[in-house]
Amino acid sequence: MSLAALAGVFAAAFLSATLLFGLSEAAVIAALQDPALPRGLVFFLATAGNVLGAVVNFVLGRFFLRFEGRRWFPVSEKGRARAEAIFQRYGQPVLLLSWVPVIGDPLTLAAGLLRMPWLPFLVYVTIGKAARYAVLVWVFG
């Protein structure tokens, strides 16, 4: 079993939910091609990394909005405003879509901005992100 490959899956999943384009799907698919890597562990690490990245966005929204506009901040002002409008229109379950490229990261930031309670945030985000990686494992595993 390659610890480097597993660490790469976690890191790619984390980064794709936060600051950079992490290519988590590509990392998961590549890891699934190695028969020595347990499929369940690949799924768990990808989900955990991506959820942790969403938690970073939530914390940024809750406590560090004053840094919005800086190059490293994961969401643009326009993206934040759009995500807040979507979040307020559809409510907390919209976080089931937190895995969707372009809208997912702003949604998790908006959840922090709007002071969403921690536990429902974690439940919705985990379900959404786990579903994405479950599909990848099912299709490519």
Side-chain angles (χ1 to χ4, degrees), residues 9-80:
V9 166
F10 181 86
F14 176 81
L15 290 173
S16 69
T18 56
L19 310 177
L20 302 172
F21 186 62
L23 299 172
S24 68
E25 290 84 359
V28 168
I29 292 168
L32 292 171
Q33 303 313 304
D34 184 346
L37 296 178
R39 305 299 177 248
L41 187 55
V42 171
F43 165 78
F44 174 78
L45 289 172
T47 301
N50 214 238
V51 169
L52 185 60
V55 168
V56 168
N57 291 341
F58 180 85
V59 169
L60 284 171
R62 171 93 31 117
F63 301 109
F64 298 108
L65 187 61
R66 67 178 178 262
F67 296 114
E68 185 176 49
R70 298 211 179 166
R71 192 174 71 182
W72 57 265
F73 200 79
V75 178
S76 69
E77 290 180 43
K78 182 179 177 181
R80 177 190 48 81

